[in-house]
Amino acid sequence: MCGIVGYIGQQQAVPILLEGLRRLEYRGYDSAGLAIHTPSGLKVLRTVGKISTLVQLAASANLEGTFGIGHTRWATHGRPSENNAHPHLVNGVAVVHNGIIENYAELKAQLLSRGRTFASETDTEIISHLIDLELEKTSDLFEAVRRALTAVEGSYAIAVISQRHPEYFVVAKNFSPLIIGLGQGENFVASDIPALLPFTRSIITMKEFEIARIYRDRVELFDLRTGQPISSPPQTVTLSLQSAEKAGHKHFMHKEIFETPKIFTDTFLGRIKREPPRIVFDELGSNFHCDQVNRLLIIACGTSYHAGLIGRHYFEEIAGLPTVVEYASEFRYRRSVLLPDDLAIFISQSGETADTLAALKEVRARGVKTLAICNVMDSSIARAAEHVIYTRAGLEIGVASTKAFIAQVEVLLLLALYFATDRGRLTTSDLTSYIEQIYHLPKLIEKQLAAEDTIKQLAARFIHAHDFIYMGRGINYPVALEGALKLKEISYIHAEGYPAGEMKHGPIALIDEQVPVMALANRGSQLKKIISNLLEAKSRGGIIVGLISRGDTETAALLDYALEVEDVSEYFQPFVNTVPLQLFAYFVADLKGTDVDQPRNLAKSVTVE
């Protein structure tokens, strides 16, 4: 959601801000803008569309200045338009904002009653007016911003620059992510680390209800509510600049799918031991007690929710733990029954997902133990949970999550083995078998990647499809859901995932010669059942595509098209099935010519409701 960048220093601000915005494009946006402190005053440029349009606009405007802020907007209040684009300028005060002001209607009514006029439909413009009103009472921009935000309810990360204050700008955060970058005689802010990588590796990750003054030579951090100074030591970012580039791949999504074998290895390193066989999570610490957990509650959104559904199979079948999986956006608005011996697991790639974060805070307030599974270090969800396990998937820029999903499922499998071992449900030989299969999976995933030409040829046959049905059983049902999600996210083909056994209870009515079906038909305990289901679809004229275990000629003979995957036991099928489904979605989208890395209407981190 929305990208914020800011710079103050000795260099020209426009190239730095534009580069930062370019590196935040993966977050999703529909318009962009800049506010620059020039020798002739504060200048604002805004445009609908891509960063490239803003680049052209800035070049023609020839803006000079060493101090400015920039923004990419993902519309929430008000349609994409130049008027609704950020920054919003009111009487020399320019504001960029990521988040949602929940009481904006009430505040806007109050401002209108005081004679204020509005140039946009956004909730953000309200902040500009509130700050301008406070500047009528004080000449201190910092204090004006702090006072204005006391009236605001909701989520926000903001950067504020003022015509009357050429020596610093102000940033503040609640829920939405914001990072300060430290340089020599220059300082930066951004919504995410990639925007800062070309300029600095020293960062401060702002926490909830923090506000800062950003000068050229220093940064001053304060508690937003009390105004008291805060000390927050900087951290050093170890991500390479190359990791944020495509490295020869056409799209970030393609690059990230091909990083899966390495990520899979990175995720288990140090967490599985062969002699003697055991699972180790040092990050859980000595105060994490498996024997005090009798039920698991997994809460997540989107792709992370699908990972949780797979995790339920692991926890119930391997560890013997009752497990409930919930959409965070539904859970937080329902008074769920929580038990004293529950452990609530919150899954989020970014660690900033608004609904998941809100659900976590509610669960903690009700006294239930919490564990976060995140990819981004020091993210809001990671900080808010009692315990955190990082997936180590590295920077993921493609909006459609790929390698991060695999890493989430892997962590859930390892965690289930960890619980099962502690609860005495696994023999040494069983645990050894699991560990050896985990060690061999990266090589098997590499074999799946080597088949991309075959997958591309298959994808070419379906670029004109309008609908697609994915079906699976057992642990492969969530994989079907995830495969369908990937296809509709980036190709805009309507796709739905179903439990294969439920097809006859309604969805089979959709099947005809124009509706292809993707069936997950690996060898295993439910293969005969899934074959029965795909034959039901085929008899209605459906075109049947199947993922089948290597060498299964009998099942292949029943299909119109078959993709072979490595023959693994059922608990490991999500790993070998997911990669071909991701590549299939990728090639369909690429051959159709859609924007693979930045699909319309979507954002990488959903930091607003």
Side-chain angles (χ1 to χ4, degrees):
M1 295 299 175
C2 300
I4 291 173
V5 294
Y7 174 77
I8 184 168
Q10 307 303 321
Q11 303 183 63
Q12 287 298 308
V14 169
I16 292 172
L17 296 176
L18 290 174
E19 176 64 13
L21 292 178
R22 185 184 72 79
R23 291 177 176 277
L24 293 178
E25 282 189 297
Y26 67 92
R27 295 171 67 86
Y29 69 104
D30 47 57
S31 56
L34 300 172
I36 306 296
H37 227 296
T38 74
S40 58
L42 193 61
K43 304 295 183 183
V44 171
L45 295 178
R46 301 185 299 181
T47 182
V48 175
K50 295 292 185 181
I51 300 296
S52 56
T53 307
L54 183 62
V55 170
Q56 295 171 1
L57 193 62
S60 61
N62 195 29
L63 295 181
E64 291 190 359
T66 59
F67 176 16
I69 56 177
H71 190 266
T72 51
R73 176 178 186 255
W74 191 83
T76 53
H77 290 80
R79 61 187 174 83
S81 69
E82 184 177 333
N83 284 347
N84 289 333
H86 299 209
H88 289 285
L89 182 65
V90 175
N91 294 334
V93 176
V95 175
V96 294
H97 165 228
N98 177 16
I100 289 182
I101 306 306
E102 294 177 355
N103 61 334
Y104 84 99
E106 173 191 336
L107 292 174
K108 187 170 185 177
Q110 293 173 6
L111 290 165
L112 288 170
S113 70
R114 300 182 65 167
R116 292 274 168 163
T117 58
F118 290 82
S120 76
E121 306 165 273
T122 69
D123 54 343
T124 302
E125 190 181 354
I126 288 164
I127 301 175
S128 303
H129 282 281
L130 292 173
I131 295 169
D132 185 53
L133 282 173
E134 293 298 334
L135 283 171
E136 294 177 359
K137 308 170 191 175
T138 177
S139 60
D140 185 349
L141 176 64
F142 172 83
E143 189 59 27
V145 175
R146 196 176 75 82
R147 292 178 187 175
L149 289 176
T150 62
V152 170
E153 298 173 8
S155 62
Y156 53 79
I158 66 168
V160 184
I161 186 173
S162 168
Q163 172 92 25
R164 288 162 279 178
H165 300 82
E167 68 279 10
Y168 71 92
F169 66 101
V170 178
V171 296
K173 169 200 163 39
N174 181 38
F175 283 108
S176 299
L178 200 60
I179 297 165
I180 299 170
L182 306 177
Q184 296 295 321
E186 59 184 3
N187 289 303
F188 312 79
V189 296
S191 295
D192 206 352
I193 289 172
L196 303 179
L197 287 178
F199 312 113
T200 183
R201 298 305 176 91
S202 181
I203 67 164
I204 296 172
T205 302
M206 294 185 71
K207 300 179 177 62
E208 316 309 343
F209 294 110
E210 290 187 350
I211 185 169
R213 279 193 290 249
I214 313 293
Y215 296 88
R216 287 173 173 82
D217 61 348
R218 67 190 187 279
V219 169
E220 298 174 349
L221 201 62
F222 301 85
D223 186 295
L224 179 61
R225 294 161 292 192
T226 66
Q228 294 300 307
I230 293 172
S231 176
S232 185
Q235 301 170 301
T236 300
V237 175
T238 57
L239 282 173
S240 68
L241 189 59
Q242 184 180 11
S243 70
E245 300 296 347
K246 295 177 185 174
H249 294 263
K250 186 175 181 181
H251 297 96
F252 283 111
M253 181 179 179
H254 189 262
K255 171 182 178 249
E256 288 156 5
I257 292 171
F258 272 76
E259 289 174 343
T260 301
K262 179 183 182 302
I263 295 307
F264 192 94
T265 301
D266 289 346
T267 300
F268 73 64
L269 282 177
R271 290 171 173 162
I272 57 177
K273 308 291 184 181
R274 286 169 130 166
E275 295 294 339
R278 65 194 188 279
I279 307 297
V280 178
F281 281 106
D282 291 332
E283 58 264 60
L284 292 180
S286 59
N287 64 339
F288 185 89
H289 303 290
C290 295
D291 59 356
Q292 295 177 5
V293 176
N294 285 322
R295 187 181 74 154
L296 296 175
L297 181 63
I298 300 176
I299 300 172
C301 298
T303 286
S304 298
Y305 172 80
H306 296 158
L309 292 175
I310 296 171
R312 178 170 63 190
H313 284 268
Y314 295 148
F315 287 120
E316 292 191 339
E317 296 177 23
I318 298 174
L321 275 169
T323 304
V324 177
V325 187
E326 296 268 8
Y327 282 114
S329 56
E330 290 294 320
F331 173 86
R332 62 179 293 200
Y333 296 110
R334 189 180 75 251
R335 190 67 176 174
S336 299
V337 176
L338 300 179
L339 305 174
D341 53 4
D342 282 349
L343 172 66
I345 300 175
F346 297 84
I347 310 174
S348 169
Q349 187 281 138
S350 67
E352 303 291 347
T353 310
D355 286 317
T356 307
L357 178 59
L360 190 161
K361 290 183 175 181
E362 178 186 337
V363 168
R364 281 211 70 173
R366 293 172 64 182
V368 170
K369 297 179 285 292
T370 57
L371 166 66
I373 297 175
C374 294
N375 189 35
V376 179
M377 298 283 289
D378 205 32
S379 54
S380 296
I381 289 172
R383 292 196 307 269
E386 293 169 86
H387 305 279
V388 59
I389 297 173
Y390 290 110
T391 54
R392 306 173 183 169
L395 185 63
E396 188 177 68
I397 289 179
V399 166
S401 184
T402 52
K403 61 177 181 175
F405 171 74
I406 293 285
Q408 289 171 347
V409 176
E410 181 182 0
V411 166
L412 291 168
L413 172 60
L414 294 175
L415 197 57
L417 294 172
Y418 181 78
F419 271 98
T421 304
D422 187 82
R423 293 162 65 88
R425 289 183 58 90
L426 282 181
T427 65
T428 300
S429 62
D430 285 340
L431 181 57
T432 299
S433 175
Y434 281 117
I435 287 174
E436 291 307 310
Q437 290 180 82
I438 290 169
Y439 264 104
H440 285 100
L441 265 173
K443 289 293 184 185
L444 300 184
I445 294 172
E446 286 177 358
K447 290 184 178 180
Q448 302 301 149
L449 293 169
E452 71 164 335
D453 287 342
T454 300
I455 297 170
K456 184 176 182 179
Q457 293 170 18
L458 179 65
R461 298 177 179 271
F462 295 101
I463 60 173
H464 300 297
H466 295 287
D467 302 278
F468 226 110
I469 287 178
Y470 285 61
M471 64 181 186
R473 278 183 173 268
I475 202 166
N476 278 315
Y477 163 53
V479 181
L481 289 174
E482 177 61 12
L485 176 61
K486 286 294 156 283
L487 186 66
K488 58 188 164 191
E489 277 182 314
I490 61 174
S491 74
Y492 315 144
I493 293 173
H494 171 247
E496 297 296 337
Y498 291 102
E502 292 298 303
M503 289 293 293
K504 64 177 71 70
H505 294 283
I508 201 168
L510 299 171
I511 301 295
D512 62 20
E513 296 82 358
Q514 304 302 315
V515 180
V517 175
M518 178 74 77
L520 278 65
N522 308 70
R523 289 193 183 100
S525 62
Q526 302 204 48
L527 177 58
K528 290 183 179 179
K529 294 290 186 182
I530 196 78
I531 287 175
S532 174
N533 300 136
L534 67 86
L535 289 175
E536 290 169 350
K538 190 172 185 178
S539 68
R540 273 100 180 148
I543 302 168
I544 312 299
V545 185
L547 288 189
I548 63 170
S549 299
R550 191 169 301 283
D552 186 358
T553 54
E554 291 183 13
T555 304
L558 305 175
L559 306 172
D560 295 294
Y561 305 98
L563 282 175
E564 287 192 330
V565 298
E566 297 306 307
D567 194 0
V568 296
S569 63
E570 290 183 48
Y571 292 140
F572 296 91
Q573 287 173 4
F575 301 107
V576 297
N577 285 347
T578 294
V579 168
L581 294 181
Q582 290 173 346
L583 284 173
F584 179 78
Y586 168 78
F587 283 119
V588 171
D590 185 40
L591 293 169
K592 286 188 68 176
T594 62
D595 194 341
V596 172
D597 285 333
Q598 299 166 42
R600 67 188 183 203
N601 304 331
L602 297 179
K604 183 63 179 173
S605 304
V606 184
T607 57
V608 296
E609 292 184 54

